[in-house]
């Protein structure tokens, strides 16, 4: 029996047998390394596909309807595009004392508009703009919240606030605009008309924001692409 055991032990300790055992039970780190390699390959393929789709979308937007260079003036107003933001600012002086600022949002709503004889309704886009009128002497500021539809403006509320946005805790902001006397409503529209805040401004804002919407979308795509390209 001893004669039989000794050769068996020599066999188990031989280099050939150790190699066989390694093939049957490889080093666990080999599995991890292989799995990490496959994971990196999949991640790289995913990112390459994402970049391809982003470049395709950017190219499509430019070819379909490339945005125009932003306009810097409308009537007597200067126009600040606020690149990368969802609003723009218009400014002008009126007379010797008045400083007028208009802050307008991008499209923030819509209402359906029926088309006789057609099965699908159109949408009428809406945006909000706020008019600030100050006398430049550190006094109170007249503020009007307005809606801009494609071809008309609509006053929603009129109130007065302190300089530098200072107000008391719960200021009275007045009634809804449509609750005012009709003659007073008309006089406030005339007040704005005199300062070039009118239906022509609404048309300008809609055209401008349509272009800005394209510009900001492409800017967003470019930003995502740039982040994906960084290693």
């Amino acid at each position: 029996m001893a004669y039989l055991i000794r050769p068996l032990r020599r066999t188990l300790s031989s280099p050939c047998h150790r190699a066989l055992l390694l093939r049957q039970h490889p080093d666990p780190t080999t599995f991890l390394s292989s799995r990490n390699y496959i994971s990196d390959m999949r991640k790289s393929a995913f990112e390459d596909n994402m970049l391809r789709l982003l470049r395709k979308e950017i190219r499509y937007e430019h070819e379909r309807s490339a945005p125009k260079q932003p306009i810097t003036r409308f009537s007597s107003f200067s126009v600040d595009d606020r690149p990368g933001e969802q609003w723009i600012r218009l400014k002008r002086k009126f007379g010797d004392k008045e400083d007028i600022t208009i802050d307008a949002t991008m499209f923030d709503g819509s209402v359906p508009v029926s088309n006789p004889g057609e099965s699908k309704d159109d949408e009428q886009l809406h945006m909000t703009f706020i008019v600030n009128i100050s006398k430049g002497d550190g006094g109170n500021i007249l503020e009007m919240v307005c809606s801009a539809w494609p071809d008309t403006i609509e006053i929603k509320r009129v109130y007065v606030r302190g300089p530098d946005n200072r107000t008391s805790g719960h200021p009275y902001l007045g009634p809804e605009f449509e609750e005012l006397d009709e003659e007073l409503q008309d006089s406030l529209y005339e007040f704005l008309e005199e300062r070039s805040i009118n239906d022509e401004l609404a048309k300008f804002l809609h055209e401008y924001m349509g272009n800005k919407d394209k510009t900001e979308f492409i800017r967003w795509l470019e930003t995502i692409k740039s982040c994906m390209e960084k290693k």
Side-chain angles (χ1 to χ4, degrees):
M1 181 64 69
Y3 174 78
L4 293 173
I5 291 173
R6 279 197 296 274
L8 181 61
R9 284 175 179 169
R10 284 197 297 271
T11 302
L12 290 173
S13 61
S14 68
C16 291
H17 188 266
R18 285 200 300 272
L20 178 63
L21 287 176
L22 284 174
R23 284 196 297 271
Q24 292 174 343
H25 304 285
D27 188 345
T29 59
T30 304
F31 282 116
L32 292 175
S33 176
S34 183
R35 190 158 49 199
N36 289 340
Y37 174 75
I38 294 171
S39 177
D40 288 343
M41 287 286 289
R42 287 175 177 169
K43 180 181 178 184
S44 176
F46 172 76
E47 290 179 351
D48 288 345
N49 187 53
M50 282 288 294
L51 284 169
R52 181 183 63 81
L53 292 173
L54 286 165
R55 293 186 185 111
K56 180 181 177 182
E57 186 68 22
I58 291 168
R59 184 169 61 252
Y60 170 77
E61 288 297 325
H62 278 292
E63 291 174 353
R64 180 176 67 98
S65 179
K68 304 171 185 176
Q69 190 69 19
I71 296 171
T72 58
R73 293 201 68 82
F74 166 74
S75 185
S76 301
F77 290 93
S78 63
V79 183
D80 182 0
D81 184 66
R82 313 291 299 182
E85 299 188 24
Q86 299 185 60
W87 61 287
I88 65 172
R89 172 167 286 173
L90 292 79
K91 297 183 78 171
R92 67 162 294 184
K93 289 192 73 70
F94 181 75
D96 296 330
K97 294 184 177 180
E98 281 189 11
D99 292 308
I100 302 175
T101 300
I102 299 174
D103 290 338
T105 68
M106 293 176 70
F107 300 119
D108 56 8
S110 64
V111 295
V113 179
S114 61
N115 289 321
E118 296 187 15
S119 58
K120 188 176 180 181
D121 291 344
D122 284 338
E123 281 190 331
Q124 192 174 65
L125 295 175
H126 169 274
M127 68 181 69
T128 301
F129 67 93
I130 299 175
V131 181
N132 290 322
I133 301 176
S134 65
K135 299 291 186 179
D137 56 2
N140 289 336
I141 297 171
L142 178 65
E143 193 157 278
M144 297 187 185
V145 180
C146 305
S147 291
W149 297 100
D151 56 4
T152 187
I153 67 168
E154 182 180 1
I155 302 173
K156 306 299 291 184
R157 189 177 288 276
V158 181
Y159 53 88
V160 174
R161 63 173 176 82
D164 302 323
N165 234 3
R166 291 196 302 269
T167 59
S168 58
H170 299 283
Y172 175 67
L173 299 179
E176 295 291 334
F177 184 76
E178 59 267 22
E179 297 175 8
L180 297 174
D181 177 79
E182 288 188 8
E183 191 174 348
L184 178 56
Q185 292 184 39
D186 291 342
S187 67
L188 286 167
Y189 277 112
E190 290 171 6
F191 175 83
L192 291 182
E193 174 76 40
E194 190 178 7
R195 290 155 178 78
S196 301
I197 303 170
N198 49 27
D199 295 345
E200 291 303 313
L201 172 65
K203 294 174 185 176
F204 165 77
L205 288 175
H206 273 257
E207 182 178 350
Y208 190 99
M209 288 304 188
N211 186 66
K212 183 174 174 65
D213 189 63
K214 295 176 191 175
T215 302
E216 295 302 341
F217 178 55
I218 293 174
R219 191 194 314 278
W220 177 79
L221 289 171
E222 293 279 7
T223 302
I224 299 297
K225 181 175 75 71
S226 178
C227 288
M228 294 286 292
E229 286 173 337
K230 289 181 179 178
K231 299 297 184 181

